[in-house]
Amino acid sequence: MNLPVSDGYAAYLRLWIEAFEGNLTGIAPDLWMLVMDAVVRRFGTIAHASEKISGTIQKSWGVPLVEVASALGIADGPLFVQAELEQRVQASYVASRLVICGALDELKISPPRCDSSPWHSPLELAPVAPFGSWLTPQTQAELRRLVIDANFPPALFRTMTEDLDIHEVDERLHLNHLVLGKFFQTLPDELLDRMSKEQSWDRSSWLKKEIRRREVAWSLSERQ
């Protein structure tokens, strides 16, 4: 670790202990998504939240974000705070979350814990609200659960509700389209059928192409 001793680094190590002991419940994938939503609500915009948290990290660690990211092997380099706020990071990733948790503690808006200290002022989390999609809340919730369980970035489930083809999804989130294709193949038939009926989809969309792929595969199996 080519980093100077600092309050930020010390807090990061303490947070690892909290995480291993199960006290820092706020970094669990489901809750972390709500934490990021709550932080954005607190600061008004992703840009403002990113600026405030990034500044706090740099001050407490004593080095630029790029050096923190490099030393800890955090993807997205100096943009890792923004990536977390945009929920473009894999559901199981931990290092960047702990760095951000240290900054949130410093800002007195701590993530949820089993046992909060008097100096912790936990964020008020709100349930995930349905967003600008014609898909029903039930369908959105089911899709979100499948995305998180498969360890994809939470932002994927929102992107999958848009009328995009697989390469557009890949380009937006920087996920390999071959990996995405394999994930799409695991989605339940009933879910895809429901999604196709709840809103309109172009024939080139990832959803229509996956439904067509299954129809062709079923037809071929029937002929054998």
Side-chain angles (χ1 to χ4, degrees):
M1 292 285 292
N2 189 26
L3 289 175
V5 176
S6 64
D7 291 341
Y9 185 27
Y12 175 75
L13 296 179
R14 288 196 299 271
L15 288 166
W16 268 113
I17 296 173
E18 282 199 71
F20 279 125
E21 292 178 345
N23 185 45
L24 191 60
T25 55
I27 64 170
D30 280 352
L31 282 178
W32 185 250
M33 182 170 58
L34 301 183
V35 168
M36 292 294 92
D37 286 344
V39 169
V40 172
R41 285 196 303 273
R42 175 68 67 93
F43 290 104
T45 65
I46 288 177
H48 189 198
S50 179
E51 179 183 7
K52 188 68 175 179
I53 294 170
S54 296
T56 302
I57 293 170
Q58 290 186 167
K59 182 178 179 181
S60 63
W61 285 72
V63 294
L65 257 64
V66 66
E67 294 186 32
V68 176
S70 176
L72 302 180
I74 296 175
D76 295 294
L79 300 178
F80 72 87
V81 174
Q82 181 174 330
E84 287 284 6
L85 291 167
E86 293 175 348
Q87 301 182 24
R88 294 187 289 102
V89 182
Q90 282 181 295
S92 65
Y93 203 66
V94 176
S96 57
R97 295 182 187 184
L98 295 184
V99 176
I100 292 173
C101 282
L104 295 179
D105 285 344
E106 186 73 17
L107 293 167
K108 309 301 182 187
I109 49 173
S110 303
R113 288 170 163 85
C114 287
D115 299 311
S116 293
S117 301
W119 58 273
H120 289 137
S121 178
L123 280 165
E124 293 186 12
L125 306 187
V128 177
F131 57 98
S133 164
W134 290 105
L135 299 181
T136 63
Q138 176 190 351
T139 299
Q140 290 187 27
E142 184 175 348
L143 183 60
R144 181 172 65 250
R145 165 54 52 200
L146 290 168
V147 166
I148 291 177
D149 285 351
N151 194 32
F152 282 102
L156 176 60
F157 93 87
R158 288 190 169 114
T159 307
M160 287 173 64
T161 68
E162 298 183 47
D163 191 13
L164 304 173
D165 67 35
I166 191 170
H167 295 284
E168 290 173 318
V169 177
D170 178 2
E171 182 178 355
R172 183 172 296 185
L173 299 178
H174 306 293
L175 299 171
N176 187 290
H177 68 276
L178 297 176
V179 174
L180 284 173
K182 290 181 179 179
F183 172 60
F184 295 161
Q185 292 176 24
T186 68
L187 298 174
D189 291 339
E190 189 276 333
L191 174 62
L192 294 185
D193 181 63
R194 198 183 335 139
M195 290 176 67
S196 71
K197 294 175 180 177
E198 290 179 353
Q199 68 183 39
S200 61
W201 300 84
D202 190 85
R203 292 185 61 182
S204 66
S205 67
W206 72 267
L207 183 135
K208 285 294 186 181
K209 285 188 174 180
E210 175 57 24
I211 290 177
R212 179 57 181 162
R213 184 198 66 79
R214 296 184 188 197
E215 290 173 345
V216 171
W218 180 83
S219 177
L220 291 175
S221 67
E222 285 293 299
R223 295 176 187 175
Q224 294 176 355

